[in-house]
Amino acid sequence: MPRFSVVVPVHKVQGYLHACLDSVLGQSYRDLEVIAVDDRSPDGCGAILDAYAARDERVRVVHLPENVGLGRARNAGMEHATGDYLFFLDGDDTLTPGALRATADRLDETGDPDVLVFDYARTHWWGGTRRNVLARLLAVEDVFTAAERPEILDLLMVVWNKAYRRDFVAREGFAFPPGYYEDTPWTFPVLLSAERIATLDRICVYYRQRRRGSILSTTSRRHFDVHEQYARVFRFVDARPALAHWRPFLHAKMGEHCLDILSKPDRLPPSDKGEFFRRTAEMFRAHRPEGAQVPAELRVLEGSYAGYVLRQRAGRAGRELGRRARRAGTATAARYARVRPAFRRPLDPDLAVYSAFSHRGVLGDPAAIHRAARELAPHIRNVWVLADEEQAAGLEPDTEYVLLDSPGYRRVTERATYFVNNVNWSGALVKRPGSVHIHTHHGTPLKYLGADLLDRPGARLGFDVPQMLRRADRWDYSLVANRHSELVWERAYPCHFTSLRSGSPRNDVLVGAPEERGRAVRARLGVPDGDTVVLYAPTRRDYRRDGLVERLDLARFAADLGEGRTLVVRLHPSLAAGPARGLGLSELHRRGVLVDATDEPEVQDVLLAADVLVTDYSSVMFDYALLDRPIVVYADDWDAYRASRGTYLDVMAEAPGHVARSPWELAWLFDSGTWRDEEATRLRSAFRRRFCEFDDGRAAERVVRTLMPVERMPERPAGPARVPAQATGADLLTPS
């Protein structure tokens, strides 16, 4: 008896069917059977299924004599299922790599619950990927019932984001009805009846959003089926008095769902919308529980269809007016910014404004400069620009800030003398004569930036390079940590600024950092005493729209590292809020397989906690080199990365340590001890000499003393430098 029976109903999806079946049969977890149901598909789906069954004994094909629809096709598949758990997957969707292994592990961990709810991500036909916005509801350790955690019913009520214990389904007699929205009278009864529900905070299904051909995006009267599907739900509850308290909730859900269908432009024929509203209103009245309060957004169902139409038109008009007002406000602000200088008050010589990472907090180089300014120039008023109040949470009480585009923001940016940022200020900010703009960048550049992106159309997707350069025209000073960076910035940003050989202020902490700081970070991350910390810090890819490429099986890598080593993972900031963590990272962190340090606010703290860095093409390698600890480069897609993005450095020829081109090479480097041999030391030393040239632990102090009104910076005492001097070597750059 297999662990999983994966039921795949198939109808007119031949273009997607190979990807669907390959995603199941290619899973690392192989204790499964596939029940593929050919719902009398008129295309080549039946032949495709037969071909898969001929070469893989785990596939069983059921050819139906007539088309019965999605729900009944699933029923036909269930009749042939023999697995412990039922797993439903539509023929145009796919499983994510490792999904069944993660599901099986979670089922074992929770003692075979009745239902396991897992996460999904929508994959759009134009290339975008979006994770379920309610994924946080899945971060639950224990099993529960719907009554104990009713918020579980706020998730998308579909069949394919759950695994069902087959004997529970058989005992309760659950089956799919005919018609559209067949998931509704399945999922509500299942979840309300389940005595043990568990969750898995991991994306297991990619839910394909097709441009054409999706059942629910087909304009048809078949959408009237939703009324009978909810009637089935109410009949189910009526037959079980113990579930009567769910009626108000289901009543509201029904109203919300039907109004959502009515509001979609591609669901109902325009001539049928009035009838759909009236049927919905009748059902809403008929099933309203006695004494139940009607939510404000559903009160429209107590009126007429004409009233509903007027409300919809008013809503659209209001949104359009708001959009026009915002556009007019932006234009007015821009005009005001252009003409205002003649009427402005003089600059405040003691006012400095800071921002980092698009106003996400007190972070990076600007934060280091801010700390130095408070110590060395206490007369200067330092103000941070933050995106919203959420970003202000956790700030030290004496940290002054303003919110972006607020009146306070306009006041301080109008009068400030010093502007410190690692991302360009908005285009509406006009540089006044006498102001000093200090650009800190994000680190030593490896990949193409600025004007160098003009011949890289894939890499500059979403970037307006001319606008970027116009904003860079405001820079007065560009901070550099080495001569390589100096050459890059002057070529990539052909603007009128002065390169300041300051070093990287945020990395001052890495030069001669006390060991106790690293130990404190390890304790906060939960790393066992005495373990070797292996930090994996990958960057994004420009040959994928969402930047995410699953380069490494993290669970396998953690296992290959063996006892006494803890794998710590830190994703690139641009991937932190996307689907990357939901594809296994969060779940592996919860299970203690690895540590997810993506949310640590300062990357330097994570670097201090690590004994060895594994990265691909992230600039974090230049920062970590300051610690003089081993670095391993994992470059299995170097050719593709270099071709799509462009690089200033050939990390294959001038790597900071050994290079692995496959997971097996990476595992061997650690298993054999090669990661820290003499050759690794030699490579790292050469890398440090070249790229850590100006970092001596005094960068922030140097910036403040050089550019702000404080005493002259004392000369460095005689003696050996803390960081080796510049080495000669080949570079892909030449001075322009």
Side-chain angles (χ1 to χ4, degrees):
M1 179 185 298
R3 187 62 163 155
F4 294 113
S5 292
V6 183
V7 178
V8 183
V10 173
H11 184 76
K12 296 175 69 173
V13 290
Q14 64 177 6
Y16 310 104
L17 189 52
H18 287 280
C20 173
L21 296 175
D22 289 344
S23 76
V24 179
L25 299 173
Q27 291 281 312
S28 60
Y29 188 88
R30 301 185 59 79
D31 187 14
L32 62 95
E33 64 178 2
V34 175
I35 312 297
V37 182
D38 173 17
D39 188 18
R40 196 66 177 176
S41 186
D43 56 11
C45 285
I48 293 172
L49 294 179
D50 289 338
Y52 272 87
R55 62 176 179 261
D56 195 319
E57 61 182 8
R58 296 174 298 168
V59 179
R60 183 185 310 176
V61 181
V62 178
H63 293 283
L64 299 181
E66 60 181 356
N67 176 249
V68 297
L70 190 55
R72 289 182 170 176
R74 288 175 181 151
N75 292 339
M78 279 196 293
E79 292 177 4
H80 294 270
T82 62
D84 296 332
Y85 277 84
L86 296 168
F87 204 121
F88 296 97
L89 185 68
D90 290 350
D92 53 352
D93 296 336
T94 56
L95 294 185
T96 62
L100 291 185
R101 166 55 66 187
T103 302
D105 289 346
R106 184 59 173 155
L107 291 173
D108 292 343
E109 184 181 39
T110 52
D112 283 5
D114 295 329
V115 182
L116 176 71
V117 186
F118 45 77
D119 202 8
Y120 67 93
R122 298 174 187 264
T123 57
H124 295 270
W125 61 269
W126 43 264
T129 301
R130 184 165 60 90
R131 188 179 186 184
N132 165 28
V133 296
L134 296 178
R136 66 183 185 280
L137 300 181
L138 300 174
V140 181
E141 290 288 335
D142 302 324
V143 296
F144 55 91
T145 64
E148 292 167 336
R149 290 188 176 273
E151 61 270 19
I152 198 68
L153 298 175
D154 290 330
L155 293 169
L156 189 65
M157 285 291 103
V158 291
V159 65
W160 43 256
N161 64 350
K162 306 170 186 72
Y164 311 85
R165 190 160 52 82
R166 190 167 59 88
D167 59 5
F168 160 69
V169 171
R171 184 189 71 215
E172 298 292 333
F174 293 127
F176 292 92
Y180 281 14
Y181 305 99
E182 74 293 332
D183 288 3
T184 297
W186 168 279
T187 50
F188 280 119
V190 163
L191 290 177
L192 297 182
S193 302
E195 297 176 357
R196 301 179 75 249
I197 301 172
T199 59
L200 173 60
D201 183 15
R202 187 194 193 281
I203 296 172
C204 293
V205 171
Y206 282 138
Y207 175 32
R208 189 185 300 273
Q209 307 293 284
R210 292 159 61 181
R211 185 171 182 269
R212 300 283 188 198
S214 170
I215 291 177
L216 292 184
S217 65
T218 301
T219 303
S220 165
R221 281 186 59 87
R222 294 288 303 277
H223 294 282
F224 280 80
D225 290 354
V226 71
H227 299 124
E228 177 56 27
Q229 305 296 25
Y230 272 100
R232 290 186 169 99
V233 174
F234 286 119
R235 288 196 293 270
F236 179 86
V237 172
D238 290 343
R240 293 160 178 78
L243 300 179
H245 64 283
W246 286 106
R247 287 187 61 85
F249 173 86
L250 295 171
H251 177 253
K253 279 289 183 183
M254 182 270 293
E256 293 170 4
H257 194 171
C258 291
L259 286 178
D260 181 66
I261 294 170
L262 187 60
S263 69
K264 294 288 194 298
D266 58 353
R267 300 288 174 90
L268 294 160
S271 60
D272 293 327
K273 289 192 172 185
E275 180 186 351
F276 185 90
F277 177 89
R278 287 187 289 274
R279 287 199 191 180
T280 299
E282 291 171 4
M283 191 171 183
F284 193 73
R285 289 192 296 271
H287 290 282
R288 179 177 176 178
E290 185 176 351
Q293 294 294 317
V294 176
E297 63 273 15
L298 298 181
R299 289 175 189 162
V300 66
L301 289 171
E302 296 178 328
S304 65
Y305 178 63
Y308 166 81
V309 171
L310 287 174
R311 179 173 172 175
Q312 290 294 101
R313 289 175 179 171
R316 285 194 294 269
R319 289 190 293 273
E320 176 62 18
L321 285 174
R323 186 182 65 81
R324 292 182 180 180
R326 287 191 295 274
R327 181 188 298 172
T330 301
T332 301
R335 288 194 298 272
Y336 177 84
R338 289 193 293 270
V339 302
R340 177 61 179 166
F343 306 100
R344 284 177 176 160
R345 292 181 293 168
L347 294 179
D348 183 343
D350 294 331
L351 177 59
V353 179
Y354 300 80
S355 180
F357 299 106
S358 301
H359 322 299
R360 288 198 294 110
V362 180
L363 302 166
D365 288 313
I369 296 171
H370 171 236
R371 288 191 293 268
R374 294 180 67 170
E375 178 183 349
L376 300 171
H379 60 284
I380 290 181
R381 177 189 173 200
N382 300 287
V383 182
W384 279 86
V385 177
L386 301 178
D388 50 48
E389 289 291 354
E390 183 179 353
Q391 305 299 336
L395 292 185
E396 295 181 7
D398 58 347
T399 301
E400 187 177 355
Y401 70 91
V402 294
L403 298 183
L404 181 66
D405 293 333
S406 67
Y409 167 81
R410 288 188 285 273
R411 284 193 295 270
V412 297
T413 55
E414 181 180 286
R415 299 205 59 207
T417 294
Y418 304 101
F419 290 79
V420 184
N421 203 342
N422 65 359
V423 177
N424 271 321
W425 295 96
S426 76
L429 193 154
V430 177
K431 176 176 168 54
R432 294 186 63 183
S435 63
V436 178
H437 282 241
I438 304 165
H439 194 77
T440 73
H441 304 283
H442 287 180
T444 295
L446 186 150
K447 57 192 176 185
Y448 275 12
L449 296 161
D452 290 328
L453 293 176
L454 289 173
D455 65 347
R456 304 280 170 167
R460 73 170 191 266
L461 181 67
F463 288 99
D464 183 340
V465 175
Q467 172 72 348
M468 187 187 306
L469 297 180
R470 285 191 291 272
R471 294 179 179 185
D473 282 332
R474 296 174 298 197
W475 302 352
D476 292 294
Y477 294 95
S478 165
L479 305 190
V480 298
N482 46 63
R483 278 173 250 203
H484 164 87
S485 297
E486 188 172 332
L487 294 176
V488 168
W489 303 139
E490 292 181 6
R491 188 180 94 179
Y493 297 99
C495 307
H496 297 289
F497 57 79
T498 298
S499 294
L500 182 63
R501 295 180 173 183
S502 59
S504 299
R506 71 188 184 284
N507 285 338
D508 287 346
V509 68
L510 301 180
V511 180
E515 290 186 7
E516 54 267 23
R517 179 161 180 172
R519 286 197 296 269
V521 177
R522 292 160 72 102
R524 185 167 73 245
L525 295 176
V527 176
D529 290 340
D531 265 22
T532 297
V533 174
V534 180
L535 171 62
Y536 176 53
T539 192
R540 61 178 290 116
R541 299 300 193 272
D542 294 292
Y543 54 80
R544 283 287 299 270
R545 179 182 289 271
D546 57 11
L548 174 63
V549 177
E550 300 161 62
R551 306 307 317 171
L552 197 59
D553 184 334
L554 295 177
R556 178 65 181 271
F557 183 35
D560 288 342
L561 289 174
E563 293 294 326
R565 291 172 178 166
T566 295
L567 177 61
V568 175
V569 179
R570 183 178 177 87
L571 296 179
H572 189 276
S574 66
L575 302 177
R581 296 167 85 176
L583 287 167
L585 182 56
S586 296
E587 174 64 8
L588 293 173
H589 174 81
R590 185 192 65 79
R591 289 167 47 202
V593 174
L594 51 75
V595 175
D596 178 8
T598 304
D599 287 335
E600 282 290 313
E602 293 286 0
V603 68
Q604 280 68 31
D605 282 342
V606 184
L607 299 182
L608 286 168
D611 296 299
V612 53
L613 170 69
V614 178
T615 188
D616 37 34
Y617 324 116
S618 171
S619 64
V620 75
M621 71 174 72
F622 301 98
D623 305 329
Y624 192 75
L626 283 164
L627 293 171
D628 198 19
R629 300 174 189 173
I631 300 173
V632 174
V633 176
Y634 181 58
D636 66 330
D637 65 339
W638 168 246
D639 295 334
Y641 184 86
R642 190 175 184 181
S644 62
R645 179 65 192 233
T647 61
Y648 298 114
L649 178 74
D650 185 350
V651 296
M652 299 297 98
E654 299 178 85
H658 288 293
V659 177
R661 298 296 294 260
S662 70
W664 301 275
E665 288 184 22
L666 183 62
W668 176 83
L669 284 174
F670 281 94
D671 187 54
S672 64
T674 305
W675 61 281
R676 55 180 178 183
D677 64 7
E678 291 184 4
E679 177 64 7
T681 302
R682 185 192 67 78
L683 291 168
R684 184 170 71 253
S685 296
F687 192 84
R688 292 181 72 240
R689 284 194 299 271
R690 183 173 176 201
F691 296 109
C692 301
E693 182 179 5
F694 305 137
D695 278 309
D696 60 357
R698 305 176 73 192
E701 179 187 358
R702 183 174 292 110
V703 171
V704 173
R705 289 190 183 277
T706 303
L707 303 180
M708 295 182 178
V710 295
E711 347 178 332
R712 182 185 177 92
M713 187 170 182
E715 295 297 326
R716 181 185 300 170
R722 300 175 74 179
V723 177
Q726 168 82 356
T728 59
D731 197 320
L732 300 183
L733 289 169
T734 55
S736 56

